[in-house]
mmCIF file of all heavy atoms in Angstrom:
data_model
loop_
_atom_site.group_PDB
_atom_site.id
_atom_site.type_symbol
_atom_site.label_atom_id
_atom_site.label_comp_id
_atom_site.label_asym_id
_atom_site.label_seq_id
_atom_site.Cartn_x
_atom_site.Cartn_y
_atom_site.Cartn_z
ATOM 1 N N THR A 100 -7.563 28.703 -15.130
ATOM 2 C CA THR A 100 -6.885 28.856 -16.403
ATOM 3 C C THR A 100 -7.320 27.859 -17.471
ATOM 4 O O THR A 100 -7.011 28.032 -18.619
ATOM 5 C CB THR A 100 -5.342 28.746 -16.275
ATOM 6 O OG1 THR A 100 -5.027 27.494 -15.683
ATOM 7 C CG2 THR A 100 -4.803 29.854 -15.373
ATOM 8 N N GLY A 101 -8.056 26.810 -17.015
ATOM 9 C CA GLY A 101 -8.521 25.824 -18.021
ATOM 10 C C GLY A 101 -9.398 26.525 -19.023
ATOM 11 O O GLY A 101 -10.383 27.169 -18.712
ATOM 12 N N ALA A 102 -9.141 26.265 -20.278
ATOM 13 C CA ALA A 102 -9.807 27.011 -21.354
ATOM 14 C C ALA A 102 -11.314 26.865 -21.326
ATOM 15 O O ALA A 102 -12.038 27.857 -21.361
ATOM 16 C CB ALA A 102 -9.252 26.596 -22.691
ATOM 17 N N ALA A 103 -11.777 25.629 -21.250
ATOM 18 C CA ALA A 103 -13.215 25.430 -21.310
ATOM 19 C C ALA A 103 -13.956 26.083 -20.177
ATOM 20 O O ALA A 103 -14.930 26.738 -20.344
ATOM 21 C CB ALA A 103 -13.540 23.930 -21.379
ATOM 22 N N ALA A 104 -13.425 25.836 -18.900
ATOM 23 C CA ALA A 104 -14.082 26.452 -17.743
ATOM 24 C C ALA A 104 -14.027 27.958 -17.809
ATOM 25 O O ALA A 104 -15.000 28.637 -17.455
ATOM 26 C CB ALA A 104 -13.418 25.883 -16.499
ATOM 27 N N PHE A 105 -12.878 28.503 -18.214
ATOM 28 C CA PHE A 105 -12.702 29.981 -18.271
ATOM 29 C C PHE A 105 -13.640 30.569 -19.268
ATOM 30 O O PHE A 105 -14.342 31.530 -19.006
ATOM 31 C CB PHE A 105 -11.249 30.333 -18.596
ATOM 32 C CG PHE A 105 -11.039 31.785 -18.730
ATOM 33 C CD1 PHE A 105 -10.844 32.542 -17.599
ATOM 34 C CD2 PHE A 105 -11.029 32.414 -19.929
ATOM 35 C CE1 PHE A 105 -10.611 33.908 -17.677
ATOM 36 C CE2 PHE A 105 -10.796 33.796 -20.054
ATOM 37 C CZ PHE A 105 -10.585 34.530 -18.914
ATOM 38 N N LEU A 106 -13.678 29.977 -20.455
ATOM 39 C CA LEU A 106 -14.543 30.525 -21.494
ATOM 40 C C LEU A 106 -16.031 30.436 -21.137
ATOM 41 O O LEU A 106 -16.807 31.383 -21.339
ATOM 42 C CB LEU A 106 -14.290 29.779 -22.840
ATOM 43 C CG LEU A 106 -12.923 30.018 -23.523
ATOM 44 C CD1 LEU A 106 -12.765 29.158 -24.676
ATOM 45 C CD2 LEU A 106 -12.804 31.505 -23.931
ATOM 46 N N ALA A 107 -16.407 29.288 -20.472
ATOM 47 C CA ALA A 107 -17.771 29.137 -20.145
ATOM 48 C C ALA A 107 -18.185 30.125 -19.057
ATOM 49 O O ALA A 107 -19.245 30.734 -19.068
ATOM 50 C CB ALA A 107 -18.039 27.736 -19.642
ATOM 51 N N ALA A 108 -17.275 30.379 -18.156
ATOM 52 C CA ALA A 108 -17.557 31.310 -17.047
ATOM 53 C C ALA A 108 -17.666 32.750 -17.609
ATOM 54 O O ALA A 108 -18.385 33.553 -17.021
ATOM 55 C CB ALA A 108 -16.408 31.272 -15.973
ATOM 56 N N CYS A 109 -16.983 33.018 -18.628
ATOM 57 C CA CYS A 109 -17.065 34.363 -19.258
ATOM 58 C C CYS A 109 -18.227 34.488 -20.248
ATOM 59 O O CYS A 109 -18.396 35.523 -20.896
ATOM 60 C CB CYS A 109 -15.741 34.702 -19.988
ATOM 61 S SG CYS A 109 -14.345 34.873 -18.890
ATOM 62 N N GLY A 110 -18.989 33.435 -20.414
ATOM 63 C CA GLY A 110 -20.095 33.456 -21.332
ATOM 64 C C GLY A 110 -19.693 33.344 -22.766
ATOM 65 O O GLY A 110 -20.425 33.735 -23.693
ATOM 66 N N THR A 111 -18.466 32.778 -23.035
ATOM 67 C CA THR A 111 -17.926 32.645 -24.322
ATOM 68 C C THR A 111 -17.853 31.171 -24.683
ATOM 69 O O THR A 111 -17.456 30.376 -23.817
ATOM 70 C CB THR A 111 -16.543 33.245 -24.435
ATOM 71 O OG1 THR A 111 -16.573 34.553 -23.934
ATOM 72 C CG2 THR A 111 -15.980 33.213 -25.831
ATOM 73 N N SER A 112 -18.185 30.790 -25.868
ATOM 74 C CA SER A 112 -18.132 29.370 -26.204
ATOM 75 C C SER A 112 -16.765 28.853 -26.387
ATOM 76 O O SER A 112 -15.779 29.596 -26.544
ATOM 77 C CB SER A 112 -18.909 29.190 -27.564
ATOM 78 O OG SER A 112 -18.270 29.901 -28.559
ATOM 79 N N GLY A 113 -16.670 27.530 -26.336
ATOM 80 C CA GLY A 113 -15.375 26.904 -26.482
ATOM 81 C C GLY A 113 -15.129 26.674 -28.028
ATOM 82 O O GLY A 113 -15.718 27.353 -28.840
ATOM 83 N N THR A 114 -14.237 25.712 -28.303
ATOM 84 C CA THR A 114 -13.925 25.430 -29.742
ATOM 85 C C THR A 114 -15.111 24.929 -30.412
ATOM 86 O O THR A 114 -15.839 24.022 -29.970
ATOM 87 C CB THR A 114 -12.844 24.420 -29.791
ATOM 88 O OG1 THR A 114 -11.728 24.811 -29.020
ATOM 89 C CG2 THR A 114 -12.419 24.107 -31.217
ATOM 90 N N SER A 115 -15.426 25.449 -31.613
ATOM 91 C CA SER A 115 -16.627 25.080 -32.354
ATOM 92 C C SER A 115 -16.463 23.610 -32.814
ATOM 93 O O SER A 115 -15.419 23.203 -33.304
ATOM 94 C CB SER A 115 -16.786 25.929 -33.585
ATOM 95 O OG SER A 115 -17.912 25.556 -34.336
ATOM 96 N N ALA A 116 -17.534 22.834 -32.590
ATOM 97 C CA ALA A 116 -17.455 21.428 -32.948
ATOM 98 C C ALA A 116 -18.879 20.895 -33.162
ATOM 99 O O ALA A 116 -19.742 21.119 -32.296
ATOM 100 C CB ALA A 116 -16.757 20.579 -31.883
ATOM 101 N N GLU A 117 -19.130 20.228 -34.261
ATOM 102 C CA GLU A 117 -20.356 19.530 -34.388
ATOM 103 C C GLU A 117 -20.313 18.224 -33.576
ATOM 104 O O GLU A 117 -19.236 17.801 -33.181
ATOM 105 C CB GLU A 117 -20.559 19.156 -35.904
ATOM 106 C CG GLU A 117 -20.820 20.372 -36.752
ATOM 107 C CD GLU A 117 -22.060 21.114 -36.407
ATOM 108 O OE1 GLU A 117 -23.094 20.500 -36.099
ATOM 109 O OE2 GLU A 117 -21.971 22.361 -36.346
ATOM 110 N N PRO A 118 -21.431 17.625 -33.205
ATOM 111 C CA PRO A 118 -21.405 16.386 -32.508
ATOM 112 C C PRO A 118 -20.484 15.398 -33.172
ATOM 113 O O PRO A 118 -20.480 15.283 -34.412
ATOM 114 C CB PRO A 118 -22.852 15.891 -32.510
ATOM 115 C CG PRO A 118 -23.618 17.185 -32.546
ATOM 116 C CD PRO A 118 -22.803 18.127 -33.385
ATOM 117 N N THR A 119 -19.739 14.634 -32.385
ATOM 118 C CA THR A 119 -18.709 13.764 -32.914
ATOM 119 C C THR A 119 -19.285 12.692 -33.837
ATOM 120 O O THR A 119 -20.300 12.060 -33.543
ATOM 121 C CB THR A 119 -17.987 13.067 -31.771
ATOM 122 O OG1 THR A 119 -17.432 14.038 -30.926
ATOM 123 C CG2 THR A 119 -16.907 12.192 -32.268
ATOM 124 N N ASP A 120 -18.640 12.486 -34.936
ATOM 125 C CA ASP A 120 -18.905 11.360 -35.834
ATOM 126 C C ASP A 120 -18.201 10.158 -35.297
ATOM 127 O O ASP A 120 -16.948 10.145 -35.224
ATOM 128 C CB ASP A 120 -18.440 11.723 -37.255
ATOM 129 C CG ASP A 120 -18.575 10.496 -38.173
ATOM 130 O OD1 ASP A 120 -19.143 9.458 -37.783
ATOM 131 O OD2 ASP A 120 -18.159 10.632 -39.380
ATOM 132 N N PRO A 121 -18.927 9.122 -34.779
ATOM 133 C CA PRO A 121 -18.302 7.980 -34.165
ATOM 134 C C PRO A 121 -17.249 7.317 -35.013
ATOM 135 O O PRO A 121 -16.364 6.661 -34.535
ATOM 136 C CB PRO A 121 -19.489 7.035 -33.859
ATOM 137 C CG PRO A 121 -20.666 7.939 -33.815
ATOM 138 C CD PRO A 121 -20.392 9.041 -34.798
ATOM 139 N N GLY A 122 -17.312 7.478 -36.335
ATOM 140 C CA GLY A 122 -16.343 6.858 -37.179
ATOM 141 C C GLY A 122 -15.222 7.719 -37.602
ATOM 142 O O GLY A 122 -14.347 7.385 -38.428
ATOM 143 N N ALA A 123 -15.208 8.966 -37.054
ATOM 144 C CA ALA A 123 -14.234 9.959 -37.549
ATOM 145 C C ALA A 123 -12.797 9.636 -37.089
ATOM 146 O O ALA A 123 -11.868 9.830 -37.810
ATOM 147 C CB ALA A 123 -14.632 11.347 -37.077
ATOM 148 N N GLU A 124 -12.680 9.112 -35.870
ATOM 149 C CA GLU A 124 -11.377 8.874 -35.315
ATOM 150 C C GLU A 124 -11.127 7.353 -35.293
ATOM 151 O O GLU A 124 -11.923 6.614 -34.712
ATOM 152 C CB GLU A 124 -11.330 9.418 -33.901
ATOM 153 C CG GLU A 124 -9.880 9.445 -33.295
ATOM 154 C CD GLU A 124 -9.948 10.049 -31.905
ATOM 155 O OE1 GLU A 124 -10.746 9.578 -31.054
ATOM 156 O OE2 GLU A 124 -9.173 10.975 -31.628
ATOM 157 N N THR A 125 -10.074 6.925 -35.918
ATOM 158 C CA THR A 125 -9.834 5.470 -36.012
ATOM 159 C C THR A 125 -8.476 5.093 -35.415
ATOM 160 O O THR A 125 -8.148 3.926 -35.391
ATOM 161 C CB THR A 125 -9.910 5.023 -37.462
ATOM 162 O OG1 THR A 125 -8.934 5.761 -38.210
ATOM 163 C CG2 THR A 125 -11.243 5.217 -38.036
ATOM 164 N N SER A 126 -7.722 6.060 -34.942
ATOM 165 C CA SER A 126 -6.450 5.741 -34.279
ATOM 166 C C SER A 126 -6.314 6.629 -33.021
ATOM 167 O O SER A 126 -6.977 7.691 -32.946
ATOM 168 C CB SER A 126 -5.287 5.993 -35.205
ATOM 169 O OG SER A 126 -5.251 7.290 -35.635
ATOM 170 N N PRO A 127 -5.533 6.221 -32.062
ATOM 171 C CA PRO A 127 -5.464 6.971 -30.825
ATOM 172 C C PRO A 127 -4.985 8.406 -31.033
ATOM 173 O O PRO A 127 -4.053 8.610 -31.861
ATOM 174 C CB PRO A 127 -4.455 6.168 -29.980
ATOM 175 C CG PRO A 127 -4.525 4.790 -30.496
ATOM 176 C CD PRO A 127 -4.777 4.959 -31.972
ATOM 177 N N SER A 128 -5.577 9.355 -30.356
ATOM 178 C CA SER A 128 -5.143 10.742 -30.498
ATOM 179 C C SER A 128 -3.860 10.999 -29.697
ATOM 180 O O SER A 128 -3.489 10.223 -28.829
ATOM 181 C CB SER A 128 -6.243 11.670 -30.012
ATOM 182 O OG SER A 128 -6.612 11.349 -28.681
ATOM 183 N N ALA A 129 -3.216 12.073 -30.007
ATOM 184 C CA ALA A 129 -1.973 12.421 -29.304
ATOM 185 C C ALA A 129 -2.210 12.823 -27.870
ATOM 186 O O ALA A 129 -1.398 12.686 -26.985
ATOM 187 C CB ALA A 129 -1.286 13.573 -30.051
ATOM 188 N N GLU A 130 -3.460 13.348 -27.604
ATOM 189 C CA GLU A 130 -3.794 13.740 -26.203
ATOM 190 C C GLU A 130 -5.250 13.406 -25.936
ATOM 191 O O GLU A 130 -6.102 13.212 -26.819
ATOM 192 C CB GLU A 130 -3.532 15.239 -26.035
ATOM 193 C CG GLU A 130 -4.491 16.148 -26.818
ATOM 194 C CD GLU A 130 -4.253 17.623 -26.597
ATOM 195 O OE1 GLU A 130 -3.086 18.026 -26.480
ATOM 196 O OE2 GLU A 130 -5.201 18.395 -26.631
ATOM 197 N N LEU A 131 -5.521 13.350 -24.626
ATOM 198 C CA LEU A 131 -6.855 13.081 -24.142
ATOM 199 C C LEU A 131 -7.097 13.983 -22.949
ATOM 200 O O LEU A 131 -6.275 14.016 -22.047
ATOM 201 C CB LEU A 131 -6.993 11.626 -23.713
ATOM 202 C CG LEU A 131 -8.367 11.116 -23.229
ATOM 203 C CD1 LEU A 131 -9.314 11.019 -24.420
ATOM 204 C CD2 LEU A 131 -8.272 9.818 -22.508
ATOM 205 N N ASN A 132 -8.208 14.725 -22.960
ATOM 206 C CA ASN A 132 -8.478 15.692 -21.878
ATOM 207 C C ASN A 132 -9.510 15.119 -20.933
ATOM 208 O O ASN A 132 -10.637 14.810 -21.283
ATOM 209 C CB ASN A 132 -9.013 16.976 -22.482
ATOM 210 C CG ASN A 132 -7.973 17.652 -23.383
ATOM 211 O OD1 ASN A 132 -6.948 18.069 -22.898
ATOM 212 N ND2 ASN A 132 -8.255 17.651 -24.703
ATOM 213 N N PHE A 133 -9.096 14.883 -19.667
ATOM 214 C CA PHE A 133 -9.775 14.132 -18.659
ATOM 215 C C PHE A 133 -10.036 15.013 -17.450
ATOM 216 O O PHE A 133 -9.093 15.451 -16.773
ATOM 217 C CB PHE A 133 -8.958 12.916 -18.334
ATOM 218 C CG PHE A 133 -9.613 11.861 -17.460
ATOM 219 C CD1 PHE A 133 -9.026 10.555 -17.358
ATOM 220 C CD2 PHE A 133 -10.823 12.043 -16.757
ATOM 221 C CE1 PHE A 133 -9.585 9.573 -16.557
ATOM 222 C CE2 PHE A 133 -11.383 11.085 -15.976
ATOM 223 C CZ PHE A 133 -10.791 9.822 -15.863
#
Side-chain angles (χ1 to χ4, degrees):
T100 58
F105 177 80
L106 291 172
C109 293
T111 308
S112 63
T114 305
S115 179
E117 292 299 318
T119 302
D120 174 3
E124 192 180 51
T125 57
S126 59
S128 57
E130 66 180 36
L131 183 73
N132 297 295
F133 190 166

